[in-house]
Amino acid sequence: MMNGGEVMKGVEAVPTRRLHKRKLTAITGGLGMETYGHPVYEAVWPEAEQATVHSGIPPVLRFRRPGELLAAGDLFLLTLSAIIAWNESPFPLWVFLVSTLCTYSPWMFVLRLYDQRPDEKIADSIRRVALAALLGMASSCLIVYYSGFYLPVSILGTQSLIICFAISCWRFIYDRYTRSEAAKSSVLIAGAGRRGMVIYHMLKSPHSPLRVEGFLDDNLQAASRSGSPAVMGTCLDVARVAASTGAKQVIVAMSHDRSPESLRTFKNARFNGLIVKEAAEIYEEITGRIPVKFIDDTWFISARGFSLLYNHVLLGMKRLIDTVFSALLGLCLLPVLFFIAAFIKCDSQGPVFYRQARVGKDGKVFTIIKFRSMRQDAEANGARWAEEGDPRVTRIGHYLRKFRIDELPQLWNILKGEMSFIGPRPERPEFVNVLEKEVPHYSVRHTVKPGVTGWAQVILRYGASVDDALDKLEADLYYIKNMSPLLDLKILLRTVGVVILSQGSR
């Protein structure tokens, strides 16, 4: 904790967001906590001075223009590797090209090679490139084996080495390019308050294509924080400041009670060629989250999206897929589930499963089922968040959590129609009752069925506090707004990567 109510996360210190001081009966579920039928314990939320919700830079950023450049370079190098490695093989070149793109590209996506993390080191990226190349080669071997074509394994090995070396070099060059000032364009932020500072810290990411030249604010003394750009004029000066700084874009991060003069000024600036975007739009585009403190009820009326909520055909297809696949997976994994149950029983005392009340679609309460991964007396001293290397986790429970095997019994919840494969993670009723009163728009989560995995689980780090739960809400709202079969597929693929990389387990 820093002076002035700031918390250091990563490399940025940002203002805290005030939370209520109410006591919460039982800490939220879905964040590594189990009750095993024990009496409900009392847990207290952090005091306002100790609570922080947003870090200055979110765990994953999605800058569209650099991301498209990165993907285009990868596709070019994959195609080039196939041409070089083919070397007049009896295997048709076009089939080899298609096989290459259909095996290596998905693995690169699954292993999160397109996530733009400000704190990621190039060495970590190269390790994942090598793993993607290895898995891609294994997938290509399977395709060749079952296709009936002949292709020497040496060709696949050569191609894998070329891919690993070429893409690693490309990502090193890409990393240096996106960090250079030459790759950035100037932007102004209208509003030097909390919203403006949140957007400013996001755009300070090394991979951001935008460089903040300064703020516009009617309070010329605002944003005088150390290291932040100065206020260069009022909102009425947008045209003059943009011309003097070379800015081509302005991000409006002011509160909703804007003066008619400011609105007219931004309208005229847009008609004169300046790109004008709302802070909520930029926040959603960059983070894959909806800023609940940036929006009001009017936003929900006018915002594009939410179309799948009333598309009964696609909702019916989603339910059909959930039913068929949960039944098939359950039958195929039945022997494995029996072995897991036996291991749990032999490893520690207590039931194989634990059950807990959760809130589902339309606020209906249902009972979720998981494999037990903690000791039976895990909460003898009261409920608390799961910790890194939590001593309450059993030996077998460590592996169940690491590879998400403890979630498999939820196939029964999916088959019953209480859950879906993809959706917001369900929370406990006690937690929901408080959050619906304290957090704007929290009840929107209950317009869709909860899921075994979701957008929040694949873009955010492990949730281990109330603050993290509030960040999850923003990701859940993004999913509900942008629900589509393509987004569901994207989440499933990224979930595979989370499991392979053992990310987010405790």
Side-chain angles (χ1 to χ4, degrees):
M1 177 66 67
M2 301 179 64
N3 294 331
E6 295 185 339
V7 175
M8 180 66 73
K9 278 193 174 184
V11 295
E12 300 293 342
V14 296
T16 58
R17 182 164 79 193
R18 286 188 172 273
L19 301 175
H20 58 80
K21 298 184 180 181
R22 289 189 180 188
K23 290 185 176 181
L24 175 64
T25 307
I27 286 186
T28 176
L31 296 173
M33 194 272 293
E34 302 175 358
T35 60
Y36 314 116
H38 287 295
V40 174
Y41 297 98
E42 185 179 74
V44 182
W45 279 26
E47 293 296 321
E49 292 77 9
Q50 298 176 342
T52 177
V53 177
H54 296 294
S55 59
I57 301 176
V60 179
L61 303 178
R62 306 183 310 157
F63 297 111
R64 185 171 182 178
R65 191 179 71 196
E68 291 173 349
L69 174 63
L70 181 62
D74 287 346
L75 289 175
F76 171 77
L77 292 174
L78 288 174
T79 302
L80 188 62
S81 72
I83 295 173
I84 295 173
W86 180 63
N87 194 25
E88 299 300 327
S89 165
F91 198 78
L93 177 58
W94 72 270
V95 177
F96 192 34
L97 282 172
V98 172
S99 173
T100 296
L101 296 177
C102 291
T103 51
Y104 288 93
S105 297
W107 280 119
M108 292 175 69
F109 179 82
V110 163
L111 295 176
R112 309 173 74 91
L113 282 166
Y114 296 102
D115 285 359
Q116 296 164 332
R117 295 182 180 273
D119 57 349
E120 184 178 52
K121 298 178 181 178
I122 190 66
D124 296 329
S125 179
I126 292 175
R127 278 194 291 269
R128 281 186 281 129
V129 168
L131 180 58
L134 181 62
L135 292 172
M137 183 181 70
S139 302
S140 296
C141 287
L142 290 175
I143 291 177
V144 170
Y145 178 78
Y146 287 106
S147 66
F149 289 100
Y150 169 73
L151 184 68
V153 177
S154 59
I155 291 180
L156 294 176
T158 300
Q159 182 191 28
S160 182
L161 290 174
I162 292 172
I163 288 174
C164 185
F165 176 75
I167 290 185
S168 296
C169 291
W170 159 234
R171 286 174 179 273
F172 179 80
I173 295 170
Y174 166 85
D175 183 73
R176 291 297 178 267
Y177 169 73
T178 54
R179 291 173 183 269
S180 68
E181 291 299 313
K184 303 180 186 299
S185 58
S186 298
V187 64
L188 298 173
I189 298 178
R194 187 178 185 282
R195 297 185 187 191
M197 291 304 295
V198 168
I199 299 299
Y200 166 68
H201 283 297
M202 289 179 185
L203 297 182
K204 281 184 65 179
S205 167
H207 301 297
S208 170
L210 302 175
R211 177 180 58 251
V212 178
E213 296 291 346
F215 290 94
L216 299 172
D217 200 287
D218 293 336
N219 177 13
L220 297 178
Q221 302 301 317
S224 57
R225 302 169 179 83
S226 175
S228 65
V231 173
M232 308 183 74
T234 68
C235 294
L236 303 181
D237 299 322
V238 59
R240 175 185 62 80
V241 177
S244 64
T245 59
K248 303 298 182 183
Q249 181 173 336
V250 59
I251 300 171
V252 182
M254 303 159 57
S255 60
H256 297 293
D257 53 342
R258 302 161 185 175
S259 66
E261 293 81 4
S262 297
L263 294 176
R264 194 177 304 113
T265 300
F266 291 129
K267 181 193 73 173
N268 294 335
R270 185 174 187 182
F271 288 147
N272 289 325
L274 191 66
I275 300 173
V276 180
K277 290 188 176 182
E278 288 280 356
E281 180 184 357
I282 291 291
Y283 188 101
E284 178 183 355
E285 179 182 321
I286 294 176
T287 67
R289 290 153 54 187
I290 302 295
V292 294
K293 289 296 186 179
F294 287 16
I295 60 178
D296 56 13
D297 291 336
T298 304
W299 180 88
F300 282 95
I301 297 174
S302 59
R304 290 183 297 177
F306 302 103
S307 58
L308 197 58
L309 295 176
Y310 46 81
N311 191 322
H312 299 294
V313 174
L314 288 179
L315 287 176
M317 289 177 59
K318 184 180 175 73
R319 174 58 187 150
L320 178 63
I321 292 172
D322 285 338
T323 303
V324 171
F325 277 90
S326 62
L328 289 176
L329 280 175
L331 289 174
C332 293
L333 295 175
L334 198 58
V336 178
L337 298 179
F338 277 117
F339 275 112
I340 294 172
F343 283 134
I344 294 173
K345 204 67 179 175
C346 295
D347 183 53
S348 61
Q349 294 182 346
V352 171
F353 303 102
Y354 86 89
R355 297 169 174 82
Q356 194 176 72
R358 299 290 176 92
V359 178
K361 189 177 184 299
D362 300 325
K364 295 179 180 178
V365 178
F366 69 99
T367 302
I368 199 172
I369 305 173
K370 285 188 178 185
F371 279 126
R372 180 175 60 86
S373 59
M374 286 188 175
R375 302 192 312 264
Q376 188 177 12
D377 61 346
E379 294 181 346
N381 297 320
R384 59 188 175 94
W385 301 106
E387 305 168 357
E388 192 72 38
D390 200 317
R392 298 174 298 166
V393 177
T394 63
R395 288 173 298 178
I396 188 66
H398 169 75
Y399 296 101
L400 295 180
R401 285 169 169 259
K402 185 175 183 179
F403 298 105
R404 301 299 195 277
I405 299 173
D406 60 325
E407 311 283 357
L408 287 178
Q410 291 170 51
L411 291 172
W412 177 245
N413 293 114
I414 297 174
L415 192 61
K416 290 172 63 180
E418 298 167 332
M419 294 180 65
S420 176
F421 278 106
I422 309 295
R425 286 294 296 165
E427 303 288 2
R428 295 188 63 182
E430 299 88 351
F431 189 64
V432 169
N433 290 338
V434 174
L435 281 181
E436 285 187 340
K437 298 175 182 177
E438 303 293 338
V439 179
H441 323 300
Y442 190 83
S443 60
V444 178
R445 294 180 84 252
H446 304 136
T447 57
V448 298
K449 288 183 181 179
V452 176
T453 185
W455 185 241
Q457 280 64 48
V458 299
I459 71 165
L460 296 176
R461 295 184 174 93
Y462 184 87
S465 69
V466 175
D467 305 335
D468 294 334
L470 296 178
D471 283 342
K472 280 175 55 183
L473 168 63
E474 296 191 334
D476 292 335
L477 292 182
Y478 175 88
Y479 171 75
I480 296 170
K481 179 178 181 289
N482 298 281
M483 278 176 62
S484 69
L486 184 60
L487 181 57
D488 280 2
L489 177 61
K490 185 177 181 179
I491 293 171
L492 282 175
L493 289 175
R494 292 176 69 110
T495 301
V496 173
V498 169
V499 173
I500 291 175
L501 298 172
S502 301
Q503 293 178 329
S505 60
R506 292 196 176 187

